[in-house]
Amino acid sequence: YYTNNENLESSPEEFIYRYREKELTFISDNGVFSKKMIDYGSRVLLDTIKIDSNKKSLLDVGCGYGTFGVSLKSVYPFLQVEMVDVNERAIALSKENAVQNHLTNTKIYPSDGLVAVRDSDFSAILTNPPIRAGKNVVFAFYEKSFAKLRTGGELWVVIQKKQGAPSSAKHLEEIFGNVSVVAKRKGYYILKAIKV
């Protein structure tokens, strides 16, 4: 799911996700993360995050089929949302899911990490990082996110304790000078770092 495999057989599935009074329809497929439903860790992050109206722009890094971008844009329509993923199928699905849920003002495009991201004034960046891609890839997400946030901007990360939450927290502290564990549920940590 964290690479671009164009030879993978397609077998789309559709499911409903209820998020803060919104009923969202997602289409998923082979070769993307958590095909059959929004994964537990992402749901914990979505349940935890609050977006106030002075936060105008959000970047979903490693967006998969659009979990964070689609869900948050549907609840906070004032947000300008960008979604990126290295996986072309994920990008196609994110575009389809944005249309399916009647979202406008979204930019969805392929990017290896944050390489193709031009804006450097995001209010919030969210990621459920591709742990299986390795620590170097995940830490690069964090480092590049710092450069793409405005002052006061927030990086939100969901990561399991057993998959490196403590080392992620330590690395975020080194980059941002701060990190907080906003939530812990069933071994999942929601980390937030603020660019000060």
Side-chain angles (χ1 to χ4, degrees):
Y1 66 88
Y2 56 86
T3 59
N4 188 36
N5 181 354
E6 294 172 5
N7 302 318
L8 206 58
E9 184 185 337
S10 178
S11 175
E13 291 196 22
E14 188 173 301
F15 63 87
I16 301 291
Y17 174 55
R18 286 177 183 80
Y19 181 56
R20 299 186 187 178
E21 288 89 55
K22 296 279 185 181
E23 189 170 278
L24 304 172
T25 304
F26 282 94
I27 297 162
S28 181
D29 203 343
N30 293 334
V32 294
F33 178 65
S34 195
K35 177 185 175 182
K36 296 192 179 295
M37 69 178 108
I38 306 276
D39 66 289
Y40 183 79
S42 291
R43 294 200 312 269
V44 175
L45 192 154
L46 284 167
D47 289 347
T48 305
I49 193 169
K50 305 254 185 305
I51 305 274
D52 56 48
S53 56
N54 67 355
K55 292 198 167 41
K56 298 291 185 222
S57 56
L58 178 142
L59 174 65
D60 180 355
V61 181
C63 63
Y65 45 74
T67 302
F68 295 145
V70 169
S71 299
L72 290 166
K73 176 71 175 172
S74 69
V75 172
Y76 303 103
F78 57 82
L79 275 176
Q80 296 174 342
V81 170
E82 293 190 22
M83 298 182 238
V84 296
D85 202 295
V86 72
N87 181 332
E88 295 276 2
R89 179 169 287 176
I91 291 299
L93 289 164
S94 289
K95 288 178 177 176
E96 198 170 347
N97 289 326
V99 170
Q100 183 97 350
N101 293 287
H102 314 292
L103 304 182
T104 56
N105 207 9
T106 56
K107 282 166 63 176
I108 304 165
Y109 53 95
S111 179
D112 187 353
L114 290 88
V115 170
V117 177
R118 295 282 163 259
D119 195 0
S120 56
D121 195 38
F122 288 100
S123 308
I125 297 177
L126 282 71
T127 189
N128 184 343
I131 301 301
R132 292 196 184 106
K135 192 180 268 190
N136 290 346
V137 170
V138 173
F139 281 12
F141 274 29
Y142 304 161
E143 290 150 14
K144 291 188 168 70
S145 291
F146 182 83
K148 298 295 181 183
L149 285 165
R150 65 176 56 176
T151 302
E154 302 168 349
L155 173 63
W156 290 76
V157 179
V158 55
I159 188 167
Q160 286 189 67
K161 182 178 183 183
K162 67 182 181 189
Q163 291 185 326
S167 66
S168 273
K170 183 170 180 281
H171 195 61
L172 288 168
E173 176 79 50
E174 288 166 4
I175 300 164
F176 285 82
N178 68 89
V179 67
S180 51
V181 180
V182 186
K184 284 185 200 174
R185 212 184 298 164
K186 292 187 182 172
Y188 284 89
Y189 282 42
I190 306 301
L191 306 176
K192 180 174 81 166
I194 301 170
K195 184 172 181 175
V196 291

